[in-house]
Amino acid sequence: MSNPINRTGMKKHNFYAGPAILPQEVIEQAAKAIVDFNGSGLSLLSISHRTKDFENVLADADALFRELLHIPDNYRIFYVGGGASTMFYEVPANFLGKKAGYVNTGVWAKKAIKEAKFYGEVETLASSDDKNFTYIPKGFAVPSDLDYLHITTNNTIYGTEYHEDLISPVPLIADMSSDILSRPVDVSKYAMIYGGAQKNLAPAGVTFAIIREDMLERQVRELPTMVSFRTHVENGSMFNTPPVFPIYVLCESLKWLKSIGGVPEIHRRNKEKAALLYAEIDRNPLFRGTAVEEDRSLMNICFVMSEGYEELAPEFLEFAKERGMVGIKGHRLVGGFRASCYNALPKESVEALVACMQEFEHLHVK
Ligand SMILES: *Cc1c(COP(=O)(O)O)cnc(C)c1O
């Protein structure tokens, strides 16, 4: 199924960083459910979250998440509102008693560090700040007296990504907002994984969390009910009204992912898309990538105009826009361009962007 043609008749290629592209069949299914949820004659937008139908959605999402990511039985999944940004303070509120370690890989990591400092000592164990966050720091020591170690597995703004699970002697907590279910991860290496679902799984409004059960015993202070992770685990994400609609779409995204062959297949597709675009960035004399090769993200592909061609950047943006490219302007901290290639982005969109870069090259390089 292809994306709808807009009113100008031009196909749009959606490279937004988030909220971002979702599979077209998921959007169509959601549209149907808004009008008539499961043949009930009622809209998904106006039913109680305490209905059997919605309980089934939560149960399906749980089962699919477990199956797709091979989540071990001693982990629990819950959904809340508030975004990953709320997790930035809830994680330390729950677990930071004395000292936590953080790896600073860019804007989101820095925001997480800032919030953690409200609760205790924060040791920044490694940082790629020295090179404008163009790489993932490696080989740093992790002290064994930390309450936990926090990482950001994909740096949405700078286009860097961990390609291997970090081994940590202390509980490892990861913000996977922008690469969840895009590649295999060994969940057993993590004490907790969380993220805003609006990059790869759902519209804005729901935050997912996968937490190892023993972590719930490690809550270091008394907390308001909504801040404690125990509340959400013990009540199966139903302590208060969960974000019904985004959870429904998340569940449909998981079904879609399973239908195409799960994480191994999406990882293959994501590698293929990224390889196509990085190859063009490396080949085309007008452009260069910003992240170091070994840490390049499969999800957010950042590039700028090569030296000597910098002034062509606004013209390229306009040129690309005229050819249907949407959302490729880079974040203001990096400049240039960012093509977000999340799970639902079809390969044909990457091919269209590559063709556009080649056409632009022929105009400007003799
Ligand atoms: C988008 C993003 C966030 C922020 O998520 P919100 O849900 O808007 O709070 C945090 N971390 C990463 C890695 C992101 O990509």
Side-chain angles (χ1 to χ4, degrees):
M1 212 175 294
S2 63
N3 293 335
I5 304 295
N6 79 341
R7 62 184 175 275
T8 64
M10 179 171 56
K11 183 171 166 45
K12 294 278 178 115
H13 299 285
N14 183 353
F15 292 98
Y16 277 126
I21 188 166
L22 291 168
Q24 189 59 23
E25 43 271 69
V26 169
I27 290 173
E28 284 173 16
Q29 183 60 32
K32 276 192 203 139
I34 285 179
V35 178
D36 179 8
F37 180 39
N38 281 358
S40 64
L42 296 169
S43 167
L44 171 63
L45 303 183
S46 49
I47 54 152
S48 166
H49 57 295
R50 308 267 173 206
T51 51
K52 188 81 201 136
D53 277 344
F54 185 67
E55 276 174 16
N56 288 341
V57 171
L58 272 181
D60 287 352
D62 196 87
L64 285 162
F65 227 135
R66 285 177 188 283
E67 180 183 344
L68 289 164
L69 211 53
H70 303 296
I71 299 173
D73 289 344
N74 61 328
Y75 285 72
R76 305 285 291 269
I77 305 168
F78 66 88
Y79 306 98
V80 285
S85 301
T86 296
M87 286 292 178
F88 291 167
Y89 78 82
E90 289 188 341
V91 164
N94 278 267
F95 303 130
L96 176 44
K98 278 195 77 151
K99 189 163 73 164
Y102 278 70
V103 180
N104 181 10
T105 48
V107 169
W108 298 117
K110 273 199 268 191
K111 289 189 174 186
I113 290 168
K114 179 175 176 231
E115 302 304 309
K117 286 180 178 167
F118 284 103
Y119 294 93
E121 197 185 326
V122 173
E123 204 175 321
T124 301
L125 299 179
S127 171
S128 45
D129 195 13
D130 58 337
K131 291 183 179 159
N132 198 30
F133 302 112
T134 49
Y135 68 101
I136 299 287
K138 297 177 196 81
F140 51 89
V142 181
S144 57
D145 63 342
L146 300 174
D147 291 323
Y148 62 87
L149 167 63
H150 181 280
I151 60 170
T152 313
T153 53
N154 183 68
N155 298 281
T156 324
I157 290 172
Y158 297 93
T160 62
E161 185 175 16
Y162 288 78
H163 294 295
E164 273 169 33
D165 299 305
L166 202 93
I167 306 294
S168 167
V170 299
L172 179 61
I173 300 183
D175 172 1
M176 289 198 191
S177 294
S178 53
D179 65 346
I180 186 73
L181 286 165
S182 67
R183 61 187 178 95
V185 294
D186 179 352
V187 175
S188 73
K189 299 276 191 305
Y190 301 83
M192 182 175 181
I193 294 169
Y194 69 86
Q198 71 273 19
K199 309 290 165 58
N200 236 346
L201 297 176
V206 64
T207 313
F208 62 87
I210 304 164
I211 188 166
R212 209 174 56 216
E213 273 168 354
D214 65 274
M215 291 302 287
L216 298 168
E217 305 309 315
R218 293 195 186 219
Q219 183 177 316
V220 292
R221 56 176 62 79
E222 278 205 74
L223 290 170
T225 313
M226 280 296 286
V227 179
S228 170
F229 295 147
R230 284 179 194 161
T231 303
H232 304 293
V233 168
E234 283 165 9
N235 292 282
S237 305
M238 294 275 256
F239 173 74
N240 71 327
T241 317
V244 170
F245 180 67
I247 291 174
Y248 174 82
V249 179
L250 179 143
C251 185
E252 290 301 311
S253 285
L254 298 177
K255 285 184 195 166
W256 170 82
L257 186 51
K258 181 176 170 172
S259 77
I260 65 154
V263 172
E265 173 59 16
I266 204 69
H267 190 221
R268 185 196 68 73
R269 292 187 191 184
N270 288 335
K271 281 191 291 190
E272 184 179 47
K273 288 181 287 179
L276 259 173
L277 186 48
Y278 283 124
E280 179 60 19
I281 291 167
D282 292 343
R283 183 210 62 80
N284 192 318
L286 290 181
F287 302 99
R288 67 177 174 83
T290 50
V292 305
E293 203 169 329
E294 66 172 14
D295 300 327
R296 283 171 162 182
S297 170
L298 297 182
M299 296 284 96
N300 310 97
I301 298 182
C302 296
F303 55 107
V304 294
M305 304 302 311
S306 299
E307 226 182 295
Y309 294 106
E310 290 93 340
E311 77 285 1
L312 288 177
E315 191 184 325
F316 178 68
L317 267 182
E318 194 51 39
F319 185 86
K321 193 176 150 198
E322 283 163 8
R323 283 153 186 77
M325 308 302 139
V326 177
I328 64 162
K329 191 171 166 41
H331 192 279
R332 69 196 143 76
L333 293 170
V334 184
F337 316 101
R338 168 175 55 177
S340 295
C341 301
Y342 295 119
N343 285 357
L345 185 87
K347 184 176 154 191
E348 67 191 55
S349 288
V350 175
E351 287 166 345
L353 177 57
V354 166
C356 182
M357 292 161 78
Q358 291 175 352
E359 215 186 312
F360 198 66
E361 176 196 3
H362 295 138
L363 282 178
H364 291 282
V365 185
K366 299 293 164 219

